[in-house]
């Protein structure tokens, strides 16, 4: 088990609503990355946060946004939810400049 | 654009056999190649990783073979056990930023 925690575990939202997912990084790690994993597929990189700023972004629209706090924890916000946003959202923590990323258990989001 | 291609999509192996999963990449800027193991309802767990200056890395029953000229790498699981049944993902990264994952291989080890 890594020291990365995520909340909530499961979430059901309606199309058009907004959602906030939370992640606490492993002790000693200052960088948080978010990934979206659709059913039966590999995770897709959303963005990475370091020093409370976005430090790289994948091919996701602006309605996916994030925050990082001084204690290195992070939030992922998704506005105007679409049915295709239904997925497992994974948070990974790492030390800046290190390649090893350690994943949390994920948040299962269902959009109806 | 799928920059990391993984095969096979599924694999059935008898207990004690060798499981082999292959990956190919396109981006020559990748400089770190990890493998992750994921059980249903869990996040991916880092299993083993290799850098392109090494052709092979072994940790217990898990071995990565790396062919830089062919831009291919593979995971070998020796003496496969039923507890190894999971989905395995290869991945690649450059500059410690974005992990690019393969599509995954669902491994079933029959007792």
């Amino acid at each position: 088990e890594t020291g990365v925690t995520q909340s909530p575990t499961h979430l059901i939202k309606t199309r058009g609503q907004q959602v906030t997912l939370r992640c606490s990084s492993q002790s000693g790690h200052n960088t948080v990355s978010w990934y979206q994993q659709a059913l039966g597929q590999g995770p897709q990189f959303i963005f990475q946060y370091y020093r409370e700023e976005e430090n790289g972004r994948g091919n996701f629209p602006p309605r996916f946004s994030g925050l990082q706090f001084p204690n290195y924890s992070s939030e992922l916000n998704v506005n105007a939810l679409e049915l295709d946003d239904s997925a497992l959202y994974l948070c990974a923590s790492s030390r800046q400049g290190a390649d090893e990323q350690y994943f949390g258990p994920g948040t299962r989001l269902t959009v109806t | 654009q799928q920059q990391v291609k993984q095969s096979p999509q599924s694999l059935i192996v008898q207990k004690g056999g060798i499981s082999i999963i292959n990956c190919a990449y396109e981006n020559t800027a990748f400089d770190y190649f990890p493998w992750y193991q994921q059980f249903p309802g869990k996040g991916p767990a880092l299993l083993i990783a290799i850098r392109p200056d090494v052709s092979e890395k072994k940790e217990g029953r898990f071995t990565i073979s790396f062919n830089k000229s062919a831009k291919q790498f593979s995971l070998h699981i020796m003496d496969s056990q039923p507890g190894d049944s999971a989905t395995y993902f290869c991945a690649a990264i450059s500059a410690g930023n974005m992990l690019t994952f393969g599509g995954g291989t669902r491994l079933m080890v029959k007792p």
Side-chain angles (χ1 to χ4, degrees), chain A residues 1-7 22-29 31-32 71-73 91-94 101-106, chain B residues 44-46:
Chain A
E1 294 287 334
T2 69
V4 182
T5 61
Q6 293 186 242
S7 63
R22 295 177 175 82
C23 170
S24 291
S25 60
Q26 186 171 311
S27 177
H29 287 182
T31 301
V32 173
N71 67 353
Y72 308 127
S73 66
C91 156
S93 80
S94 60
Q101 295 189 17
Y102 298 91
F103 285 84
Chain B
L46 181 60

Short mmCIF file of all heavy atoms in Angstrom, two decimals, chain A residues 1-7 22-29 31-32 71-73 91-94 101-106, chain B residues 44-46:
data_model
loop_
_atom_site.label_atom_id
_atom_site.label_comp_id
_atom_site.label_asym_id
_atom_site.label_seq_id
_atom_site.Cartn_x
_atom_site.Cartn_y
_atom_site.Cartn_z
N GLU A 1 0.84 -1.19 0.00
CA GLU A 1 0.00 0.00 0.00
C GLU A 1 0.88 1.26 0.00
O GLU A 1 1.83 1.36 0.76
CB GLU A 1 -0.90 0.02 1.25
CG GLU A 1 -1.94 -1.09 1.30
CD GLU A 1 -3.08 -0.85 0.32
OE1 GLU A 1 -3.33 0.32 0.00
OE2 GLU A 1 -3.70 -1.82 -0.12
N THR A 2 0.57 2.20 -0.89
CA THR A 2 1.27 3.47 -0.88
C THR A 2 0.64 4.35 0.19
O THR A 2 -0.40 4.04 0.74
CB THR A 2 1.15 4.17 -2.24
OG1 THR A 2 -0.21 4.60 -2.43
CG2 THR A 2 1.53 3.24 -3.37
N GLY A 3 1.27 5.48 0.46
CA GLY A 3 0.69 6.41 1.43
C GLY A 3 -0.21 7.43 0.77
O GLY A 3 -0.57 8.43 1.41
N VAL A 4 -0.62 7.20 -0.46
CA VAL A 4 -1.48 8.14 -1.18
C VAL A 4 -2.94 7.79 -0.88
O VAL A 4 -3.36 6.65 -1.04
CB VAL A 4 -1.22 8.06 -2.70
CG1 VAL A 4 -2.10 9.07 -3.43
CG2 VAL A 4 0.25 8.29 -3.00
N THR A 5 -3.69 8.79 -0.43
CA THR A 5 -5.10 8.57 -0.13
C THR A 5 -5.96 9.46 -1.01
O THR A 5 -5.54 10.57 -1.40
CB THR A 5 -5.42 8.86 1.36
OG1 THR A 5 -5.10 10.22 1.65
CG2 THR A 5 -4.59 7.95 2.26
N GLN A 6 -7.17 8.96 -1.34
CA GLN A 6 -8.10 9.70 -2.17
C GLN A 6 -9.49 9.64 -1.56
O GLN A 6 -9.86 8.64 -0.95
CB GLN A 6 -8.13 9.13 -3.59
CG GLN A 6 -6.84 9.32 -4.37
CD GLN A 6 -6.97 8.88 -5.80
OE1 GLN A 6 -6.29 7.96 -6.26
NE2 GLN A 6 -7.85 9.55 -6.56
N SER A 7 -10.24 10.71 -1.77
CA SER A 7 -11.63 10.72 -1.31
C SER A 7 -12.49 11.51 -2.29
O SER A 7 -12.00 12.45 -2.94
CB SER A 7 -11.72 11.34 0.09
OG SER A 7 -11.31 12.70 0.07
N ARG A 22 -10.44 14.63 -4.14
CA ARG A 22 -9.32 15.03 -3.30
C ARG A 22 -8.26 13.96 -3.19
O ARG A 22 -8.57 12.76 -3.25
CB ARG A 22 -9.84 15.42 -1.92
CG ARG A 22 -10.74 16.65 -1.95
CD ARG A 22 -11.32 17.02 -0.60
NE ARG A 22 -12.07 18.27 -0.69
CZ ARG A 22 -13.33 18.36 -1.11
NH1 ARG A 22 -13.99 17.28 -1.47
NH2 ARG A 22 -13.93 19.54 -1.16
N CYS A 23 -7.02 14.42 -2.99
CA CYS A 23 -5.88 13.51 -2.93
C CYS A 23 -4.87 14.02 -1.91
O CYS A 23 -4.54 15.22 -1.90
CB CYS A 23 -5.23 13.42 -4.31
SG CYS A 23 -3.64 12.57 -4.35
N SER A 24 -4.39 13.13 -1.06
CA SER A 24 -3.29 13.45 -0.16
C SER A 24 -2.06 12.67 -0.59
O SER A 24 -2.13 11.44 -0.74
CB SER A 24 -3.66 13.10 1.29
OG SER A 24 -4.67 13.95 1.76
N SER A 25 -0.97 13.35 -0.77
CA SER A 25 0.23 12.70 -1.30
C SER A 25 0.98 11.94 -0.20
O SER A 25 0.75 12.13 0.99
CB SER A 25 1.16 13.74 -1.93
OG SER A 25 1.56 14.70 -0.97
N GLN A 26 1.86 11.07 -0.66
CA GLN A 26 2.70 10.30 0.25
C GLN A 26 3.68 11.23 0.95
O GLN A 26 4.13 12.23 0.37
CB GLN A 26 3.45 9.24 -0.57
CG GLN A 26 4.27 8.25 0.20
CD GLN A 26 4.77 7.14 -0.70
OE1 GLN A 26 4.01 6.55 -1.45
NE2 GLN A 26 6.06 6.85 -0.62
N SER A 27 4.02 10.91 2.19
CA SER A 27 4.95 11.72 2.96
C SER A 27 6.27 11.89 2.21
O SER A 27 6.82 10.92 1.68
CB SER A 27 5.21 11.06 4.32
OG SER A 27 6.15 11.78 5.06
N GLY A 28 6.74 13.13 2.11
CA GLY A 28 8.00 13.40 1.43
C GLY A 28 7.85 13.69 -0.05
O GLY A 28 8.82 14.04 -0.72
N HIS A 29 6.63 13.54 -0.57
CA HIS A 29 6.38 13.81 -1.98
C HIS A 29 5.75 15.18 -2.16
O HIS A 29 4.83 15.55 -1.43
CB HIS A 29 5.45 12.74 -2.58
CG HIS A 29 6.10 11.42 -2.77
ND1 HIS A 29 5.45 10.34 -3.33
CD2 HIS A 29 7.35 10.99 -2.46
CE1 HIS A 29 6.27 9.30 -3.38
NE2 HIS A 29 7.43 9.68 -2.85
N THR A 31 4.89 16.46 -5.44
CA THR A 31 4.29 16.56 -6.77
C THR A 31 3.10 15.60 -6.87
O THR A 31 3.20 14.46 -6.42
CB THR A 31 5.33 16.21 -7.85
OG1 THR A 31 6.44 17.11 -7.73
CG2 THR A 31 4.74 16.33 -9.24
N VAL A 32 2.01 16.09 -7.44
CA VAL A 32 0.81 15.27 -7.59
C VAL A 32 0.38 15.27 -9.06
O VAL A 32 0.31 16.33 -9.68
CB VAL A 32 -0.34 15.80 -6.71
CG1 VAL A 32 -1.62 15.03 -7.01
CG2 VAL A 32 0.02 15.67 -5.24
N ASN A 71 0.38 21.95 1.76
CA ASN A 71 0.76 20.65 2.33
C ASN A 71 0.89 19.57 1.24
O ASN A 71 1.00 18.39 1.55
CB ASN A 71 -0.24 20.21 3.40
CG ASN A 71 -1.62 19.90 2.82
OD1 ASN A 71 -1.87 20.13 1.63
ND2 ASN A 71 -2.49 19.38 3.65
N TYR A 72 0.87 20.00 -0.02
CA TYR A 72 1.05 19.15 -1.21
C TYR A 72 -0.19 18.33 -1.57
O TYR A 72 -0.17 17.65 -2.60
CB TYR A 72 2.25 18.21 -1.08
CG TYR A 72 3.53 18.92 -0.71
CD1 TYR A 72 4.30 18.51 0.37
CD2 TYR A 72 3.95 20.03 -1.43
CE1 TYR A 72 5.45 19.16 0.73
CE2 TYR A 72 5.12 20.70 -1.08
CZ TYR A 72 5.86 20.27 0.00
OH TYR A 72 7.00 20.93 0.35
N SER A 73 -1.26 18.39 -0.77
CA SER A 73 -2.49 17.71 -1.18
C SER A 73 -3.06 18.43 -2.40
O SER A 73 -2.65 19.55 -2.74
CB SER A 73 -3.50 17.69 -0.03
OG SER A 73 -3.93 19.00 0.27
N CYS A 91 -4.91 9.47 -8.54
CA CYS A 91 -3.94 10.47 -8.15
C CYS A 91 -2.62 9.74 -7.90
O CYS A 91 -2.62 8.63 -7.35
CB CYS A 91 -4.46 11.16 -6.90
SG CYS A 91 -3.24 11.93 -5.86
N ALA A 92 -1.52 10.32 -8.33
CA ALA A 92 -0.21 9.73 -8.10
C ALA A 92 0.71 10.79 -7.50
O ALA A 92 0.68 11.94 -7.93
CB ALA A 92 0.38 9.21 -9.41
N SER A 93 1.48 10.39 -6.52
CA SER A 93 2.42 11.36 -5.94
C SER A 93 3.86 10.95 -6.22
O SER A 93 4.16 9.77 -6.45
CB SER A 93 2.17 11.52 -4.43
OG SER A 93 2.74 10.47 -3.67
N SER A 94 4.72 11.94 -6.23
CA SER A 94 6.13 11.71 -6.52
C SER A 94 6.95 12.87 -5.97
O SER A 94 6.41 13.88 -5.54
CB SER A 94 6.35 11.57 -8.03
OG SER A 94 5.94 12.76 -8.70
N GLN A 101 6.23 7.21 -9.76
CA GLN A 101 4.95 7.76 -9.33
C GLN A 101 4.17 6.66 -8.64
O GLN A 101 4.07 5.54 -9.14
CB GLN A 101 4.16 8.32 -10.52
CG GLN A 101 4.84 9.51 -11.18
CD GLN A 101 3.97 10.19 -12.22
OE1 GLN A 101 2.76 10.00 -12.28
NE2 GLN A 101 4.60 11.01 -13.05
N TYR A 102 3.59 7.00 -7.49
CA TYR A 102 2.87 6.04 -6.66
C TYR A 102 1.41 6.44 -6.60
O TYR A 102 1.08 7.57 -6.24
CB TYR A 102 3.49 5.97 -5.26
CG TYR A 102 4.94 5.51 -5.30
CD1 TYR A 102 5.97 6.43 -5.41
CD2 TYR A 102 5.24 4.16 -5.30
CE1 TYR A 102 7.29 6.01 -5.49
CE2 TYR A 102 6.57 3.73 -5.37
CZ TYR A 102 7.58 4.67 -5.47
OH TYR A 102 8.89 4.24 -5.55
N PHE A 103 0.55 5.47 -6.94
CA PHE A 103 -0.86 5.77 -7.11
C PHE A 103 -1.68 5.50 -5.84
O PHE A 103 -1.38 4.59 -5.07
CB PHE A 103 -1.45 4.93 -8.24
CG PHE A 103 -1.06 5.41 -9.60
CD1 PHE A 103 0.14 5.03 -10.18
CD2 PHE A 103 -1.90 6.26 -10.31
CE1 PHE A 103 0.50 5.49 -11.44
CE2 PHE A 103 -1.54 6.71 -11.58
CZ PHE A 103 -0.34 6.33 -12.14
N GLY A 104 -2.73 6.30 -5.69
CA GLY A 104 -3.73 6.04 -4.68
C GLY A 104 -4.75 5.04 -5.20
O GLY A 104 -4.65 4.57 -6.33
N PRO A 105 -5.76 4.73 -4.38
CA PRO A 105 -6.75 3.72 -4.76
C PRO A 105 -7.77 4.21 -5.79
O PRO A 105 -8.47 3.40 -6.39
CB PRO A 105 -7.45 3.39 -3.44
CG PRO A 105 -7.28 4.63 -2.63
CD PRO A 105 -5.95 5.20 -3.01
N GLY A 106 -7.84 5.52 -5.99
CA GLY A 106 -8.75 6.06 -6.98
C GLY A 106 -10.12 6.43 -6.44
O GLY A 106 -10.53 5.98 -5.37
N PRO B 44 -3.14 1.35 -9.63
CA PRO B 44 -1.96 0.64 -10.14
C PRO B 44 -0.83 0.69 -9.12
O PRO B 44 -0.59 1.73 -8.50
CB PRO B 44 -1.59 1.43 -11.40
CG PRO B 44 -2.82 2.20 -11.76
CD PRO B 44 -3.51 2.51 -10.47
N ALA B 45 -0.12 -0.42 -8.97
CA ALA B 45 1.02 -0.51 -8.05
C ALA B 45 2.30 -0.69 -8.86
O ALA B 45 2.36 -1.55 -9.73
CB ALA B 45 0.83 -1.67 -7.09
N LEU B 46 3.29 0.13 -8.56
CA LEU B 46 4.57 0.05 -9.26
C LEU B 46 5.23 -1.29 -8.95
O LEU B 46 5.46 -1.64 -7.79
CB LEU B 46 5.47 1.21 -8.82
CG LEU B 46 6.84 1.29 -9.47
CD1 LEU B 46 6.73 1.45 -10.97
CD2 LEU B 46 7.62 2.47 -8.86
#
